[in-house]
Amino acid sequence: MLKNIIIRSLILAGLLRSLVMCSQTMQMPAPDIDAFPQLSVQNDSIDIEIASMDIGIKVFGNIAITSYDITFYNPSNRVLEGELNFPLKANQEIVGFSMDVDGKLRKGVVVEKHRGRQVFETIVREGIDPGLIEKTSGNNFRARVYPIMANGTKRIVIRCQEILSIYNSDYIYQLPMGFQRVIKDFSIKAEVVKGHKKPSIITNDFTHLNFTKWEESFVAEARQKTIYASGLFAFLLPNAGKKEFGIRSDDGQYFYATAPIAMTSKNKEKVSHIHLLWDVSGSGSNRNSEKEIDLLSAYLKYHGDLKVSLTPFNHVKHPTSDFTIINGDISDLASAIKSLRYDGGSCLENIPFDEFNTGEILLFSDGLINFGELSIKQCKSPLNIINSSLKADHSLMEHLALSNKGTYIDLSVLALNDALVMLEKQQITAEADNMNDHTSDVIITLSPNKKHLVMTGKVHHEDALLAIKLYSGSNELERYEMEIPEEQSYHDIPVARIWASQRINVLLRNKQKHKNDIISLATRYGVVSDYTSLMVLERLEDYIRFEVEPPAEWKGEYTRIKKRKKDLQSSNKDDYTQTINTYIKDYKEWWNTTFPQSKRSPKGNTSFHVSDQMDLDVPITRQEENTPPPPPPPAETNIVSLIMIEDSDMEEEACDTPPVRSRGMQVYTNAIPWDSTATYMTEISKLKGSEAYPYYISVKEKHLNQPSFFLDIAAYLFKINRTKEGVTVITNIAELQLEDAEVLRVAGHKLIEQDQLETGILVFKKIKEIRPEELQSYRDLALALEKAGRHQDAVDLMIEALHQPELRANSGIKGILLNEINSLLNKHPQLIETTQLPDGWRYNMPVSIRIVLSWSTDHSDVDLWITEPGGEQCMYSNNRTCLGGRLSYDVTNGYGPEEYLIKSARQGRYKIQANYFGDRRPSITGPITLYAEIFENYGTMQQTSRQVVLQLKEQKQVIDLGEVRVD
């Protein structure tokens, strides 16, 4: 069973749900319980402790910077990788990441996202200290830390910046915290720099603080031993929102400013028909549906009597229901919404936005779209988007709303009354008036409640004047002018970086188009974005080796060594085609060789003999690999066996057994179903088929952090032919662990196995998007496309993969891809255009039997074993046999694949086994899943195949996957 037990040192669940920050009359949004980082270590019963935590808060005008200085303690005897996950609000971002390396904090540097992940995982395999903080989906972030030494500590510092929200005329700062265990050493310090009035602490649940005047600032601080830090610390900056605030960068070239606006736009015209789209994907359960319904009720009353069409959606669009609203009574509509179940992934592709011909469209969603394209067709009606979850893709939703004459309502930070006013009024927008050359590249946004302007840009004049135009719809309301102050004393505020971040937010509205511009800006100004991360490496040679720009103290030496290295590389440049040409030459030589040969395999180094037993096997060790072993003796370990083969059935067969065509071939595969001993599986198996899905819904909340739960339930639903429900359940995988390619890969293969090709393709597209550096991502998607009959797309993707660098030293995968390309070309010669493929890379070399093995997890070593008639075992140390068996390169540090081929199969049995040699994963995400496919007449029009999907139970295990019998 796939386990994924997440041990949280920073647990917030359930702690702040009932927290009321202030009286109901204030109507300020309560803080989200997930706003604080949560540490996960994916392993069995490992408890990471917090040795110390220092929190520092600095407020400058309406900008707050919060630093979390945390030291973790690993009480176990195993080195671990930690993963720190946290969502941020739309007005928050990461501005710094440092990690302790040899007792010294080292700052993170910006690196392209996929490159950062690739470098991190390469270095982890080598046991060197890396750290990485990356944006996952929406405004969610993940910090990966390695190593947390056995019985040792690891210190990290994360700095977050936010533009403070406004209540009336006050800025409000909120720090939610929740810990179930003691923090041994805890401190907190809050400073309001150059504050005009003493801040007012409105909530102080876990420590004793009071602001006092210190020089030009107000400071509150406390230190405490053995504290349970749970609850909320929040304070107001009285009347600060009534004033303009502005600042320039230290060099005077950038500015940031904010100013209140006292104006409202006209009411919108009332409509008679609204189309309501309601996101019921799994992450929808994080939304505050009651607050959303309250807003909907108030807004429909504004329109009076009207028709509402309700369309729920998750990974698919559900049927539409129509409701007639009379005198503002939405009781039937509210009941229908409350009865909706939040389950499955999320996709917008299948919603016909351009066909909705209603007065208005309301989309209630967090914008966390797992599958399909993120863009939508232009709406005929205004599109307003409402979200109440902190975990959201704010940029996407704002873009979709603005590009369709609507507005984005963020209920996670807005009071209900403010949100209602924004829906009822015409949209207010602002733009800079380029009346002079004082400024350039100005970006103007409005605060979530549309009551404040937020401005940033470049300054070209000492006495710069900024002119702003305000619009209601297409009508200009007012022209506003503001002098940009010369204030430059807030040295801790990265003004240039704020400008770059705001510029990136604008570009993110169409991020695919502006990807290169986003990367360029983020790299130059140090921004964590959809395409860039912050990385810490241990040694200067690591920065040089992976061409990652180092921190300031190493830049000079880095530049000098890099130049010398570049000169050397240019003189020894290797053509990537050499590896492929070498493979083709070797493959053609093998295919054209006459078999059988002598009883010594052509590339082996010892003889073989027939075994008396073939049923149960034990794994071999790498120390034995110099000698190709005979089939192993009976195993003492627990294995999965497909077909029990009696000793009397086994016949000794020599290498001169005549070849046969595969028309007399039979394939037997392991038919043991997906196995789980979990309690929920015992319970669900007792129920009727129609009761299975409701039972799953009833226990889902208990297992939200266990991918194995969703895989187990989906497998069971598939088994009892509840396929539609099974697909919904398994697509939850995309909702659980953002950008977890290993778990997604398991789900994708399971969908393909169930012939759910289009959904499976969406999953593999997602994997390729988040793991573009892995050739396996290309191959998985291409094979899914092939199964769906999209042969040209499959070949194009495989050819694209051949041109990518192979970073895992798994050169064999390109040879396997070439075989798969040529198989497609030979089966469909009239349907596929191949001008991209060099003539020398095309061949027609079919084989009788082809067996391919891959697996789900990285840092793992699984070996494909084939025992041929006569008893010779084809394996990594004996990869050519006298009967003509050929095994691809041994993959020891990735996902596979490994491939066995035999051109002309001889009579007898070909036993297929997998040797789970072991893994070196620093974080244990659960057992490995194997995928084996057995082909007959591969590369011909008569090609057929069968697939085996099995989950491993333990390391050092040999599994019988099946056998091919040739009569």
Side-chain angles (χ1 to χ4, degrees), residues 48 147 248 428 432 436 463 611 648 740 822 867 898 913 936:
I48 296 295
R248 294 194 193 187
I428 295 178
N436 53 48
D463 299 318
S611 170
S648 59
D740 190 325
N822 280 288
T867 304
E898 293 190 3
Q913 296 173 300
E936 303 172 63

Side-chain angles (χ1 to χ4, degrees), residues 245-536:
F245 170 74
I247 184 175
R248 294 194 193 187
S249 58
D250 289 341
D251 60 10
Q253 296 182 16
Y254 296 85
F255 78 91
Y256 169 83
T258 183
I261 53 174
M263 62 184 312
T264 58
S265 61
K266 295 180 181 180
N267 286 345
K268 292 193 307 189
E269 292 185 5
K270 297 180 180 181
V271 300
S272 60
H273 189 187
I274 288 178
H275 204 115
L276 177 59
L277 297 167
W278 201 274
D279 186 348
V280 293
S281 62
S283 64
S285 60
N286 295 321
R287 306 203 318 265
N288 186 342
S289 59
E290 289 187 6
K291 189 174 183 180
E292 292 178 346
I293 291 174
D294 287 343
L295 176 62
L296 178 63
S297 176
Y299 184 52
L300 294 182
K301 286 180 182 178
Y302 166 78
H303 286 283
D305 297 348
L306 76 162
K307 176 183 176 181
V308 175
S309 299
L310 170 65
T311 303
F313 71 95
N314 47 16
H315 63 289
V316 295
K317 182 177 76 71
H318 296 279
T320 298
S321 302
D322 292 328
F323 298 84
T324 300
I325 309 300
I326 304 295
N327 297 324
D329 181 7
I330 71 160
S331 54
D332 290 344
L333 174 60
S335 296
I337 293 173
K338 290 177 182 178
S339 68
L340 295 172
R341 291 172 171 173
Y342 295 91
D343 199 29
S346 182
C347 180
L348 288 176
E349 269 189 353
N350 299 322
I351 299 177
F353 285 90
D354 58 330
E355 297 179 10
F356 296 144
N357 193 16
T358 59
E360 188 174 330
I361 303 171
L362 296 180
L363 169 61
F364 285 78
S365 174
D366 56 18
L368 297 177
I369 308 303
N370 319 117
F371 305 121
E373 297 296 326
L374 297 180
S375 59
I376 63 175
K377 294 181 180 179
Q378 192 70 33
C379 300
K380 293 179 180 178
S381 309
L383 172 65
N384 292 314
I385 304 179
I386 299 96
N387 162 62
S388 59
S389 174
L390 176 65
K391 296 180 178 179
D393 193 333
H394 305 283
S395 296
L396 172 65
M397 290 184 288
E398 187 171 27
H399 165 60
L400 294 180
L402 288 175
S403 60
N404 287 281
K405 300 179 181 179
T407 188
Y408 168 53
I409 309 293
D410 186 359
L411 276 180
S412 70
V413 297
L414 282 174
L416 197 62
N417 286 345
D418 288 337
L420 180 59
V421 169
M422 291 173 61
L423 280 175
E424 293 176 349
K425 301 291 183 180
Q426 292 183 2
Q427 181 185 359
I428 295 178
T429 57
E431 66 177 32
D433 184 357
N434 298 319
M435 56 171 287
N436 53 48
D437 58 356
H438 291 188
T439 61
S440 65
D441 297 310
V442 176
I443 301 161
I444 303 177
T445 58
L446 278 78
S447 62
N449 62 4
K450 310 299 182 184
K451 294 181 180 179
H452 279 72
L453 293 171
V454 178
M455 301 155 284
T456 182
K458 297 178 182 178
V459 184
H460 306 294
H461 195 278
E462 184 175 347
D463 299 318
L465 183 68
L466 179 63
I468 304 120
K469 289 181 179 180
L470 296 175
Y471 294 87
S472 174
S474 58
N475 300 318
E476 183 176 339
L477 292 179
E478 186 176 329
R479 191 172 181 275
Y480 181 88
E481 291 186 354
M482 176 181 177
E483 291 184 2
I484 299 175
E486 299 180 24
E487 176 69 65
Q488 295 173 299
S489 58
Y490 294 107
H491 301 295
D492 287 341
I493 300 181
V495 180
R497 191 192 173 286
I498 291 175
W499 170 82
S501 180
Q502 293 293 318
R503 177 63 181 158
I504 287 172
N505 285 339
V506 173
L507 297 176
L508 282 172
R509 295 172 184 172
N510 193 345
K511 63 181 183 180
Q512 289 90 350
K513 178 180 178 181
H514 299 296
K515 177 179 178 180
N516 292 335
D517 292 332
I518 293 171
I519 292 173
S520 177
L521 278 169
T523 303
R524 179 179 176 185
Y525 292 92
V527 179
V528 181
S529 72
D530 288 43
Y531 301 115
T532 52
S533 304
L534 285 175
M535 164 158 273
V536 174

Side-chain angles (χ1 to χ4, degrees), residues 613-633:
Q613 307 232 10
M614 291 184 64
D615 298 345
L616 306 174
D617 301 285
V618 294
I620 66 167
T621 64
R622 284 288 186 253
Q623 287 74 23
E624 302 172 60
E625 67 181 356
N626 289 333
T627 304

Side-chain angles (χ1 to χ4, degrees), residues 70 131 166 260 297 316 329 332 373 375 414 428 491 528 539 578 670 685 714 793-794 810 916 919 921 947:
I70 309 172
I166 298 175
S297 176
V316 295
D329 181 7
D332 290 344
E373 297 296 326
S375 59
L414 282 174
I428 295 178
H491 301 295
V528 181
R539 308 169 303 184
Q578 181 176 344
N670 193 324
S685 63
D793 292 340
N810 176 17
Y916 180 16
D919 66 63
R921 291 177 286 168
Q947 191 177 43

